[in-house]
């Protein structure tokens, strides 16, 4: 028994030094710097130069690999399909069935801004929405990786936001259909999707208003969706252009009350102004 105790004691003495050695071996890994390599040219984006106000990842063809849509502000849009080997190919001319102005048809210098991928019609395919500052937003319905401009059919032209910058898609009234938060320099609004698959007009049922004014600065430049407090649901965080009053605000539409106001300044004040469902 004495020998056993001595053996255990010896083992115990080695535990602390061994632990120190192991910690010392792991520590350098924990403090290692993350490095990035510029693979722009090798990936197929070498010729993509010029001004752009939005780029968005989405799976356009349902192969499980993210593709990249670039709105290329005041020059033609580009859709780069993922070749599944680290490279991308611009397939715009084969997928834009409508030859949309600003993409593959009409004038090239359309005032386009942010783009968003979202399954608008619940068919399991990611559709594409693009904000257009000086005109009507573009909504393309995805059918097997091919896109058809459906802006008028979905009454997107009825949404009152002007000088649009970005559209966020999420189901804010819980009816199973994606709604829009249209962010722009004038009249940012929530636009619920109606039962007849339209956005700008019609009936969306009890406790549902058409084009709800956002409790957000009217000079909205961009936005994100996030859960900024402990209450159920998400908030929309939007920000004006640099130099104007108010930096961000969180807002949620209420099915039974008119929109409130948003306090300018910190995220804390933004959380206080969030709508409750």
């Amino acid at each position: 028994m004495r020998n056993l105790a001595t053996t255990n004691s010896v083992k115990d003495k080695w535990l602390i030094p061994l632990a120190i050695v192991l910690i010392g071996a792991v520590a350098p890994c924990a403090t290692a710097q993350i490095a990035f390599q510029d693979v722009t040219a090798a990936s197929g984006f070498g010729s993509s130069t010029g001004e752009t106000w939005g780029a968005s990842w989405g799976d356009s063809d349902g192969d499980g690999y993210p593709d990249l849509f670039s709105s290329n502000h005041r020059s033609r849009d580009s859709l780069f399909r993922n070749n599944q080997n680290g490279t991308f190919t611009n397939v715009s001319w084969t997928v834009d069935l409508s030859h949309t102005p600003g993409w593959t048809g009409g004038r090239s210098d359309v005032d386009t801004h942010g783009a968003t991928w979202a399954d608008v019609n619940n068919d399991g395919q990611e559709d594409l929405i693009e904000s257009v500052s000086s005109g009507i937003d573009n909504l393309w319905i995805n059918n097997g990786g091919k896109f058809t401009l459906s802006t008028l059919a979905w009454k997107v032209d009825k949404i009152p936001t002007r000088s649009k910058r970005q559209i966020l898609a999420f189901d804010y009234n819980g009816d199973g259909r994606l709604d829009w938060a249209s962010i722009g320099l004038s009249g940012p609004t929530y636009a619920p999707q109606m039962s007849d698959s339209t956005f700008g007009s019609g009936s969306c049922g009890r406790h549902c208003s058409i084009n709800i004014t956002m409790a957000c600065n009217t000079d909205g430049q961009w936005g994100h969706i996030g859960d900024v407090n402990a209450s159920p649901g998400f908030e929309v965080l939007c920000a004006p252009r640099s130099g104007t009053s108010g930096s961000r605000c969180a807002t949620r539409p209420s099915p039974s009350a008119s929109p409130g106001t948003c306090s300018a300044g910190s995220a804390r004040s933004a959380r206080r102004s969030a709508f409750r469902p």
Side-chain angles (χ1 to χ4, degrees), residues 195-243:
S195 58
D196 61 352
S197 299
T198 62
F199 282 99
S201 62
S203 175
C204 55
R206 187 169 177 262
H207 297 319
C208 183
S209 299
I210 307 299
N211 297 324
I212 306 168
T213 301
M214 293 178 67
C216 182
N217 193 297
T218 57
D219 197 19
Q221 186 78 344
W222 55 264
H224 289 286
I225 298 174
D227 189 1
V228 301
N229 55 30
S231 64
F234 294 96
E235 287 73 45
V236 172
L237 297 137
C238 53
R241 288 184 292 185
S242 176

Side-chain angles (χ1 to χ4, degrees), residues 1-12:
M1 297 295 294
R2 182 176 300 175
N3 289 339
L4 180 59
T6 302
T7 302
N8 288 339
S9 177
V10 172
K11 289 181 178 179
D12 291 342

Side-chain angles (χ1 to χ4, degrees), residues 11-65:
K11 289 181 178 179
D12 291 342
K13 290 179 180 179
W14 281 102
L15 286 177
I16 294 177
L18 180 60
I20 294 174
V21 171
L22 290 176
I23 292 173
V26 173
C29 296
T31 58
Q33 297 296 315
I34 298 175
F36 292 89
Q37 180 182 357
D38 187 351
V39 294
T40 303
S43 297
F45 298 115
S47 60
S48 301
T49 60
E51 185 181 25
T52 183
W53 283 61
S56 182
W57 294 98
D59 188 0
S60 66
D61 53 359
D63 63 356
Y65 288 80

Side-chain angles (χ1 to χ4, degrees), residues 6-266:
T6 302
T7 302
N8 288 339
S9 177
V10 172
K11 289 181 178 179
D12 291 342
K13 290 179 180 179
W14 281 102
L15 286 177
I16 294 177
L18 180 60
I20 294 174
V21 171
L22 290 176
I23 292 173
V26 173
C29 296
T31 58
Q33 297 296 315
I34 298 175
F36 292 89
Q37 180 182 357
D38 187 351
V39 294
T40 303
S43 297
F45 298 115
S47 60
S48 301
T49 60
E51 185 181 25
T52 183
W53 283 61
S56 182
W57 294 98
D59 188 0
S60 66
D61 53 359
D63 63 356
Y65 288 80
D67 310 304
L68 182 66
F69 181 84
S70 179
S71 59
N72 298 338
H73 181 63
R74 295 188 297 190
S75 61
R76 293 199 181 278
D77 299 339
S78 301
L79 176 58
F80 293 91
R81 181 161 292 167
N82 193 324
N83 298 322
Q84 306 181 17
N85 60 3
T87 65
F88 294 79
T89 300
N90 188 351
V91 295
S92 296
W93 295 93
T94 62
V95 301
D96 177 20
L97 301 182
S98 302
H99 302 295
T100 312
W103 194 358
T104 65
R107 49 181 284 228
S108 61
D109 58 340
V110 177
D111 190 7
T112 54
H113 284 258
T116 302
W117 294 89
D119 185 9
V120 175
N121 57 359
N122 284 337
D123 67 349
Q125 302 178 90
E126 295 186 31
D127 307 303
L128 185 57
I129 311 154
E130 181 183 47
S131 293
V132 180
S133 179
S134 56
I136 303 170
D137 291 339
N138 292 320
L139 168 61
W140 293 281
I141 297 299
N142 186 350
N143 185 12
K146 307 290 185 179
F147 293 85
T148 302
L149 186 65
S150 304
T151 298
L152 298 181
W154 285 71
K155 298 185 179 179
V156 176
D157 57 315
K158 304 298 183 183
I159 297 175
T161 309
R162 293 294 178 263
S163 298
K164 295 171 289 294
R165 291 295 183 262
Q166 185 179 9
I167 285 180
L168 303 175
F170 65 115
D171 182 12
Y172 70 67
N173 54 15
D175 63 356
R177 295 185 293 268
L178 284 179
D179 311 300
W180 286 4
S182 180
I183 298 173
L185 304 186
S186 175
T189 58
Y190 290 106
Q193 182 181 160
M194 269 61 80
S195 58
D196 61 352
S197 299
T198 62
F199 282 99
S201 62
S203 175
C204 55
R206 187 169 177 262
H207 297 319
C208 183
S209 299
I210 307 299
N211 297 324
I212 306 168
T213 301
M214 293 178 67
C216 182
N217 193 297
T218 57
D219 197 19
Q221 186 78 344
W222 55 264
H224 289 286
I225 298 174
D227 189 1
V228 301
N229 55 30
S231 64
F234 294 96
E235 287 73 45
V236 172
L237 297 137
C238 53
R241 288 184 292 185
S242 176
T244 59
S245 61
S247 58
R248 51 191 170 272
C249 89
T251 172
R252 177 185 298 162
S254 171
S256 59
S258 59
T261 58
C262 179
S263 302
S266 68

